[in-house]
Amino acid sequence: MPLKNRNIAGMTRFKRGYLLAAGLLACLITAPLNAAPADSQFRNGLSAYNGGNYLKALEIWLPLAQQEDAKSQAGVGFIYHRGLGVDVDNQKAFFWLRKAAEHGQPEGQMMLGSLYFYGQGVGQSYVQAYAWCDLAQDGGSADAESCRGAALQSLKSDGDLKLAFKLSSDLHRRFAGQH
């Protein structure tokens, strides 16, 4: 992947933030103590994940993800993206992270933006990366600022900037109140 069209400083900051995404599941969601059964199941998967038993986490989260649980969708997407206990599969990662992102899950939105930034599992698009990471930043994702900034610095034309801002605005309207 050629670097000639990218801002190296922005990429370095983004990579640092991207590596912090390895801790994604540790800060994915802090479930309340009086959690509903699905939250309890999610936490069981999180315990398996934190213990390094990624296949067990996937076994717990996949049925929850299929039932539209956004936290589990983000977890499944992250496992496929990082190849934790499974082969790296960025197309599956994109599928699950997109679902989590569309359910308003900020870490899912940030990771979806990073897939667009690097063109992993989807065609590379700094416009999409900016818009999803901007939405994630507003939703409270700690790593989204680096993603958003790197994508913004990578947009080279006024037309792309306008498209990125319009898409971000559209996503904010579409997902208003989901965070």
Side-chain angles (χ1 to χ4, degrees):
M1 181 179 316
L3 294 177
K4 64 182 179 182
N5 292 331
R6 295 195 189 155
N7 179 300
I8 301 301
M11 285 262 312
T12 301
R13 282 192 304 274
F14 179 54
K15 282 184 180 180
R16 198 172 330 127
Y18 189 65
L19 290 175
L20 291 176
L24 166 75
L25 297 175
C27 67
L28 193 57
I29 292 291
T30 304
L33 293 176
N34 59 348
D39 285 337
S40 176
Q41 290 175 321
F42 174 80
R43 284 195 321 253
N44 289 340
L46 187 58
S47 292
Y49 176 89
N50 287 334
N53 192 344
Y54 306 119
L55 288 177
K56 180 69 174 175
L58 186 61
E59 178 184 309
I60 293 169
W61 285 339
L62 189 55
L64 296 173
Q66 291 167 337
Q67 296 170 14
E68 304 302 322
D69 180 73
K71 297 175 298 209
S72 298
Q73 290 169 338
V76 169
F78 188 75
I79 285 174
Y80 279 117
H81 173 63
R82 299 299 298 203
L84 301 171
V86 298
D87 291 336
V88 170
D89 188 333
N90 282 315
Q91 289 167 335
K92 285 184 181 177
F94 175 79
F95 174 82
W96 288 111
L97 291 169
R98 176 109 189 171
K99 288 179 83 59
E102 290 180 347
H103 283 108
Q105 214 288 327
E107 284 77 14
Q109 293 166 343
M110 194 284 301
M111 289 298 298
L112 180 64
S114 73
L115 292 179
Y116 275 115
F117 185 88
Y118 288 107
Q120 296 175 314
V122 66
Q124 185 178 46
S125 171
Y126 298 131
V127 169
Q128 289 277 346
Y130 172 83
W132 283 107
C133 290
D134 187 50
L135 185 64
Q137 181 179 354
D138 288 351
S141 174
D143 297 323
E145 184 176 359
S146 296
C147 170
R148 179 187 174 275
L152 185 61
Q153 290 176 356
S154 297
L155 294 168
K156 299 300 181 194
S157 74
D158 288 343
D160 283 347
L161 283 169
K162 288 177 184 176
L163 280 173
F165 295 150
K166 181 180 181 332
L167 180 57
S168 176
S169 178
D170 291 348
L171 289 176
H172 278 81
R173 274 193 303 279
R174 181 175 169 196
F175 299 112
Q178 282 192 354
H179 297 290

